[in-house]
């Protein structure tokens, strides 16, 4: 009987950078943690982080607003529909079991010498933005984000780590270690079950 190999399958797809940030529309974006795998990304890093987090928050807020505008019931017909504030909408979405996600195209310009794609996901009150080359496999990147979220919760033993800034920043060194392990040198990795389980055990022992 052949043993299942625990060797990961590497797809040579570059993740340009990763940003964990706030999603509150009422204030300037708050960058919690970022990791860039390219020299250009670490040059004027703050400018890129803020610009990307701002665009992601705008898209997230717009989607929240569209989905949470109350429907007019029969009893309310003829009455003015109450407008929801963006702040109220986003607070409702932070508690939702159906997180938002999206994709933003960033053209060649002052932020990047070549066009980029930003794939983002909302986890509770935190946005996770993956900066990718425009030709990258977005489906694989989306799966990697889900995997990273799951592993961060498990390895830090904190299912509420994405609820707010204080929770998230309680173990930044652990999160950096996880990113380095599961996105080695900025490469997206598609791993079989045996490898994931084996690596999780190793990570748990190290954290």
């Amino acid at each position: 009987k052949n043993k299942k190999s625990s060797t990961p399958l590497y797809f040579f797809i570059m993740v340009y950078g990763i940003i964990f940030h706030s999603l509150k529309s009422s204030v300037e974006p708050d960058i919690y943690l970022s990791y860039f795998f390219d020299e250009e990304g670490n040059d004027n890093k703050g400018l890129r982080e803020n610009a990307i987090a701002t665009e992601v928050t705008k898209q997230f807020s717009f989607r929240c607003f569209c989905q949470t505008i109350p429907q007019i019931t029969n009893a309310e017909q003829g009455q003015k529909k109450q407008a929801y504030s963006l702040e109220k909408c986003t607070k409702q979405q932070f508690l939702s079991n159906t997180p938002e996600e999206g994709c933003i195209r960033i053209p060649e310009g002052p932020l990047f010498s070549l066009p980029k794609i930003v794939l983002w996901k909302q986890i509770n009150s935190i946005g996770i933005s993956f900066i990718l080359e425009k030709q990258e496999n977005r489906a694989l990147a989306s799966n990697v984000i889900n995997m990273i979220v799951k592993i961060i919760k498990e390895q830090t033993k904190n299912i509420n780590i994405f609820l707010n800034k204080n929770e998230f920043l309680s173990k930044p060194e652990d999160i950096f270690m996880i990113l380095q392990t599961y996105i080695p040198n900025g490469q997206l990795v598609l791993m079989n079950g045996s490898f994931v389980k084996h690596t999780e055990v190793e990570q748990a022992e190290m954290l």
Side-chain angles (χ1 to χ4, degrees), residues 124 126 153 156-164 167-168:
N124 298 127
I126 293 178
K153 288 181 178 181
T156 60
K157 297 179 174 62
N158 184 359
I159 61 172
N160 297 318
I161 194 167
F162 291 96
L163 284 180
N164 55 59
E167 289 283 354
F168 185 75

Side-chain angles (χ1 to χ4, degrees), residues 78-146:
Q79 297 179 4
K80 185 179 180 182
K81 181 188 287 189
Q82 180 183 6
Y84 271 31
S85 69
L86 280 177
E87 186 175 359
K88 187 172 183 178
C89 293
T90 53
K91 283 182 179 179
Q92 289 179 341
Q93 181 59 32
F94 291 161
L95 302 175
S96 172
N97 292 323
T98 308
E100 284 289 342
E101 59 183 282
C103 184
I104 296 173
R105 290 174 173 82
I106 300 181
E108 176 184 340
L111 291 180
F112 300 103
S113 58
L114 294 172
K116 296 288 186 290
I117 293 291
V118 176
L119 183 70
W120 63 268
K121 287 200 175 191
Q122 168 230 343
I123 308 296
N124 298 127
S125 67
I126 293 178
I128 304 176
S129 296
F130 268 37
I131 308 166
L132 309 166
E133 301 298 337
K134 66 177 184 178
Q135 74 276 11
E136 305 305 15
N137 186 329
R138 294 176 216 170
L140 178 57
S142 179
N143 288 334
V144 170
I145 293 177
N146 291 336

